[in-house]
Amino acid sequence: ENKEDWEKLWKEHNSQAPLPEINFKDNTVVAVFMGEQKTAGYGIRISRIEDTGSKIYIELEETMPSSMKYVEKKVTQPYHIVVVAK
């Protein structure tokens, strides 16, 4: 909810890319992380956000690889970051 926290998160997440500017007076950043996965095929997505005024409810969609399909064996770290109006 503030520039300092956003800078810290961005540096931990993606230290190579320039920091996107966010107007925290009017917006909030919502970020979800699935953690380190040992194969491809995992994903996470914010599908719905509801702000009640006192709480923010976040609905997520997670995808996982099917046991019936081949997936590349590589480490992935699925995430989704969105900016929402306050």
Side-chain angles (χ1 to χ4, degrees):
E1 293 189 7
N2 60 64
K3 187 174 182 177
E4 295 77 26
D5 289 343
W6 174 231
E7 287 175 353
K8 181 179 176 187
L9 174 71
W10 190 256
K11 285 179 185 175
E12 289 177 11
H13 165 68
N14 188 350
S15 62
Q16 302 300 316
L19 176 73
E21 285 294 321
I22 307 293
N23 176 349
F24 285 100
K25 179 181 174 198
D26 300 323
N27 300 289
T28 298
V29 173
V30 177
V32 293
F33 299 86
M34 197 173 199
E36 188 171 284
Q37 305 299 321
K38 296 182 188 245
T39 67
Y42 289 88
I44 191 164
R45 183 177 83 84
I46 298 169
S47 58
R48 185 170 161 258
I49 297 175
E50 180 182 345
D51 187 348
T52 66
S54 61
K55 293 183 180 181
I56 296 176
Y57 293 92
I58 302 169
E59 192 171 293
L60 303 174
E61 291 179 11
E62 292 182 329
T63 55
M64 296 177 194
S66 167
S67 62
M68 304 300 287
K69 292 186 178 181
Y70 170 80
V71 291
E72 188 175 356
K73 292 188 188 270
K74 68 175 186 176
V75 175
T76 61
Q77 297 173 328
Y79 68 92
H80 192 195
I81 299 173
V82 297
V83 177
V84 294
K86 286 187 176 180

